[in-house]
Amino acid sequence: MRKIPTIERRVIPSEVETRTKGEGRIVIAGYAYKFHARSQNLGGFKETILEGAGKDSIERDDIRALKNHDANLILGRNRAGTLRLSEDSTGLEYEIDADERQSYVRDLLISLERGDVTQSSFGFQVMPNGEEWTRDEDDFPLRSIRALSLFDVSPVTYPAYLSSESKVDKRAIDYAASLVSEVRQAEPIRIPHPDDRDNLRYLAERARIMKLRG
């Protein structure tokens, strides 16, 4: 049986806007992701996207624009010419030709004009060898994505990274946990003075990690 790929989803707080083009045509536009922007904690690691990460996918993949990642509420499709995607110096910009004959499109346009919907999101899968792991300035695991396969872009209501609609690959979480574990195992155990609050906090955190590891 064919394995269904894990689709990860991310939300960025960039403005989604409407533009009017020739013959009264309305376009919904925004950035699905921005290069080198750091995500929040995704369950043990942070993430950033590098320049060119989606370039091949834009040319290769069949990508949809959806409302709130709902496949029943399709706004456009790149192969139909109703969704246009391009990477510039900022990130991945998208443009959707809005069709007001669809009731959910009319509802979305009202929400955008009112400022009730302001975030963009994208669904993707990391390509083989398309990521690298380092540590940030706070020694926290950092996943840098250099090649991904896009599934969809969406104007969304809620910017919830870890909700059921914003999944994170479990393999990435497990790998980040192993990096943290390696550091913890290599650290010497320090015996704090009772008045040394920093050391007491250190031991409390170490005990918490050891408990999570079982």
Side-chain angles (χ1 to χ4, degrees):
M1 191 168 95
R2 182 174 176 269
K3 185 178 179 182
I4 298 175
T6 299
I7 300 177
E8 301 190 55
R9 301 198 189 282
R10 302 290 185 270
V11 180
I12 65 169
S14 66
E15 290 297 318
V16 184
E17 62 180 19
T18 57
R19 303 169 185 165
T20 301
K21 293 199 172 180
E23 299 179 352
R25 186 162 60 98
I26 298 175
V27 171
I28 300 170
Y31 279 93
Y33 55 73
K34 294 185 177 180
F35 299 132
H36 299 291
R38 296 278 180 89
S39 73
Q40 64 185 40
N41 187 335
L42 296 175
F45 69 99
K46 294 181 182 179
E47 186 177 81
T48 190
I49 297 179
L50 305 180
E51 289 93 340
K55 181 177 180 296
D56 290 340
S57 180
I58 292 170
E59 299 174 356
R60 176 191 66 231
D61 295 325
D62 190 1
I63 305 166
R64 272 73 165 179
L66 307 174
K67 180 181 177 183
N68 278 325
H69 293 297
D70 189 334
N72 294 307
L73 304 178
I74 185 165
L75 303 171
R77 182 179 179 182
N78 64 336
R79 291 190 178 177
T82 52
L83 166 66
R84 291 172 296 283
L85 301 158
S86 62
E87 283 192 350
D88 59 18
S89 59
T90 299
L92 175 65
E93 186 176 22
Y94 66 84
E95 288 189 340
I96 306 163
D97 290 336
D99 191 332
E100 293 187 89
R101 291 176 297 176
Q102 298 166 304
S103 61
Y104 58 86
V105 171
R106 293 196 299 271
D107 292 341
L108 175 59
L109 291 174
I110 292 170
S111 296
L112 289 169
E113 290 170 3
R114 284 164 50 91
D116 298 332
V117 172
T118 58
Q119 276 93 13
S120 293
S121 178
F122 64 104
F124 70 101
Q125 185 178 39
V126 177
M127 297 296 291
N129 302 314
E131 61 185 20
E132 56 188 58
W133 289 86
T134 55
R135 295 180 180 278
D136 66 12
E137 57 276 5
D138 297 319
D139 204 33
F140 200 74
L142 177 65
R143 181 196 200 192
S144 298
I145 297 177
R146 58 173 177 261
L148 53 78
S149 180
L150 287 161
F151 291 91
D152 63 83
V153 296
S154 295
V156 293
T157 305
Y158 289 110
Y161 275 88
L162 300 181
S163 74
S164 60
E165 291 298 325
S166 303
K167 298 177 183 177
V168 177
D169 191 349
K170 185 177 183 299
R171 291 175 303 170
I173 295 176
D174 290 343
Y175 187 78
S178 73
L179 293 180
V180 173
S181 178
E182 289 172 6
V183 171
R184 296 298 184 187
Q185 290 175 0
E187 290 177 348
I189 297 177
R190 298 177 291 169
I191 307 299
H193 186 278
D195 292 332
D196 189 341
R197 295 181 179 179
D198 288 338
N199 280 343
L200 288 173
R201 280 196 294 267
Y202 166 83
L203 282 187
E205 174 64 11
R206 187 180 181 89
R208 186 184 72 84
I209 294 295
M210 294 301 291
K211 183 178 180 181
L212 289 174
R213 290 174 55 195

